[in-house]
Amino acid sequence: MVYEFEPVTRPDPVDLEEDEEEIGSSTAEGASMIRLLFLNVTVASATTDLENADTEIVDKIDPYCEVTAGGITQKTEILQNDLNPVWDSKMHFFVAEYTDKITFQVMNDDKKDDAPLGKTELDLTSLKDMDGTFHGELNLDGASNGKLNVHVECRKLKPVETEKKLERLQIQFAKKCEEQGETVAALDESEGLRKLALEMLSLKEEELGTKAQELSEQQELYQQDVTEKLLKYQDQTQEMESTVQQLEESKLLVSEMEQKKNEVETKLRDAEEEMARSKEALTTKEKEMEDIIQQKMEEAETAHLQVEKRIEELEAIRAELEQDI
């Protein structure tokens, strides 16, 4: 971004000689016939709730007071959100002697259009005649209960006093011209410094733009590197997860084999115990069978002996029968 230098508008030059001639001629020609009034006006306050004329703010207004005398208007400060404003604003007027009134207009400051809240006038006829003072309240027309508290001092200035006032004004005018020259010189110096500052700012902004571009490129490279490392890390993570899964499956398989081995060993032990029991029972059966066979053989032998004995008895009977026959 390139900053464009815009010079500050200088105040219009003051033609001191012309204004001095005008003031001097006015003083010389009119000193004998111009009589001025000096009005010292203090706008103290407005009371008894000014009517709300603000359409944007429901319950408050932003009042100020315009004071007009002899075609000259001065204003108080604007008070924000105040239905009973206290200004205590002091004003000074130099007006022609024939000025016969002071007008006070209370207004509401508004962004679109200032609205009147109340108006009143103070008659200067009696005050002019006696260099008098008024201090009190004035009813505001347009505000049902509005009042304006003011203090006005009125004093006539004689021609000599008028001339002295004009001389003081001429001196003040000359000082204003001198201040204006100093202001222009200060503006020239300020513009030089501002122009230099803008040039330095433009150079700095170009340097910052270059550095920002370099940083952007570095950031892009860094982002690519980070992305590659992240992808590599993800691949390694997947491999590790696969390896871990295989290890878990192996552990599970080993655990199942251990369980089956334990089951087989248990069955073998049970079978061996069963065989031992069966062998013991078979040994017992064999011994019982031997005892039974031995008993049966003994019984058979006894029976054989009994049969042989019976046969002998039968043979004897037979022999006896044969002898008898």
Side-chain angles (χ1 to χ4, degrees):
M1 177 179 179
V2 179
Y3 294 93
E4 296 182 359
F5 177 75
E6 297 181 0
V8 178
T9 303
R10 302 295 193 276
D12 296 331
V14 179
D15 191 347
L16 182 58
E17 294 181 357
E18 180 180 348
D19 290 340
E20 285 179 344
E21 290 176 359
E22 183 178 351
I23 294 173
S25 61
S26 299
T27 304
E29 294 175 3
S32 60
M33 54 186 176
I34 296 177
R35 296 177 67 87
L36 298 180
L37 291 178
F38 172 69
L39 300 176
N40 186 11
V41 180
T42 300
V43 181
S45 61
T47 59
T48 319
D49 288 346
L50 294 174
E51 292 183 355
N52 185 2
D54 200 322
T55 58
E56 296 181 357
I57 303 175
V58 177
D59 58 345
K60 296 293 183 181
I61 59 174
D62 307 326
Y64 67 93
C65 183
E66 290 183 347
V67 183
T68 303
I72 301 173
T73 300
Q74 298 185 41
K75 298 180 181 180
T76 66
E77 65 175 328
I78 298 171
L79 299 181
Q80 302 293 324
N81 300 332
D82 199 337
L83 294 174
N84 295 284
V86 177
W87 293 290
D88 284 332
S89 180
K90 292 179 172 56
M91 306 174 186
H92 307 289
F93 295 86
F94 289 95
V95 298
E97 184 184 12
Y98 55 77
T99 302
D100 58 356
K101 65 180 179 180
I102 302 177
T103 302
F104 300 90
Q105 176 76 62
V106 180
M107 304 289 289
N108 175 40
D109 181 64
D110 193 276
K111 295 179 181 178
K112 299 178 181 179
D113 189 17
D114 292 358
L117 299 175
K119 183 178 180 180
T120 188
E121 294 179 351
L122 177 65
D123 188 4
L124 297 177
T125 304
S126 60
L127 295 180
K128 288 190 296 183
D129 294 340
M130 62 180 65
D131 285 349
T133 299
F134 174 83
H135 181 77
E137 292 182 341
L138 299 174
N139 293 325
L140 289 171
D141 297 334
S144 58
N145 296 318
K147 295 181 182 295
L148 188 67
N149 190 345
V150 300
H151 178 82
V152 178
E153 296 178 0
C154 179
R155 186 163 63 90
K156 290 183 181 179
L157 297 179
K158 297 179 181 179
V160 174
E161 293 176 325
T162 303
E163 186 174 355
K164 290 181 180 179
K165 291 288 184 181
L166 290 174
E167 288 176 357
R168 286 199 295 272
L169 289 174
Q170 187 176 7
I171 294 171
Q172 292 175 1
F173 181 77
K175 288 182 179 180
K176 290 292 183 182
C177 292
E178 183 180 357
E179 290 175 359
Q180 185 182 35
E182 293 175 353
T183 301
V184 171
L187 286 174
D188 291 338
E189 183 179 0
S190 174
E191 281 190 349
L193 294 174
R194 190 159 59 91
K195 187 174 182 180
L196 179 61
L198 289 176
E199 292 175 354
M200 294 178 65
L201 185 60
S202 298
L203 292 175
K204 287 293 183 183
E205 187 160 311
E206 290 178 1
E207 292 178 2
L208 288 175
T210 304
K211 290 183 179 180
Q213 182 66 26
E214 293 176 355
L215 286 174
S216 178
E217 293 174 356
Q218 292 177 1
Q219 184 177 5
E220 186 176 355
L221 293 174
Y222 174 75
Q223 188 67 32
Q224 291 177 357
D225 185 46
V226 169
T227 302
E228 291 176 357
K229 290 182 178 179
L230 181 60
L231 292 174
K232 186 176 180 181
Y233 172 75
Q234 288 177 349
D235 293 339
Q236 292 177 350
T237 302
Q238 289 179 356
E239 291 178 0
M240 291 178 65
E241 289 178 353
S242 178
T243 304
V244 169
Q245 186 176 0
Q246 291 177 359
L247 288 173
E248 292 293 335
E249 292 176 354
S250 299
K251 287 182 179 179
L252 182 61
L253 183 59
V254 169
S255 176
E256 291 177 354
M257 292 179 66
E258 288 289 340
Q259 185 177 359
K260 288 182 179 180
K261 179 182 176 182
N262 293 332
E263 291 176 357
V264 170
E265 289 179 350
T266 301
K267 288 181 178 179
L268 286 174
R269 283 196 300 272
D270 294 342
E272 288 177 353
E273 291 176 357
E274 184 66 25
M275 288 177 65
R277 287 194 296 271
S278 297
K279 185 178 180 180
E280 184 178 355
L282 183 60
T283 303
T284 303
K285 288 288 184 181
E286 287 179 351
K287 188 176 181 181
E288 290 178 355
M289 288 297 293
E290 288 179 355
D291 294 338
I292 292 172
I293 290 172
Q294 183 66 32
Q295 183 179 358
K296 290 293 184 182
M297 288 180 67
E298 290 177 354
E299 289 178 356
E301 186 175 357
T302 302
H304 180 68
L305 291 175
Q306 290 177 357
V307 169
E308 286 183 349
K309 184 179 181 182
R310 183 68 177 165
I311 290 173
E312 290 178 354
E313 289 178 353
L314 289 174
E315 286 293 336
I317 293 172
R318 179 179 146 183
E320 289 178 356
L321 288 173
E322 284 180 356
Q323 289 177 3
D324 291 336
I325 296 174

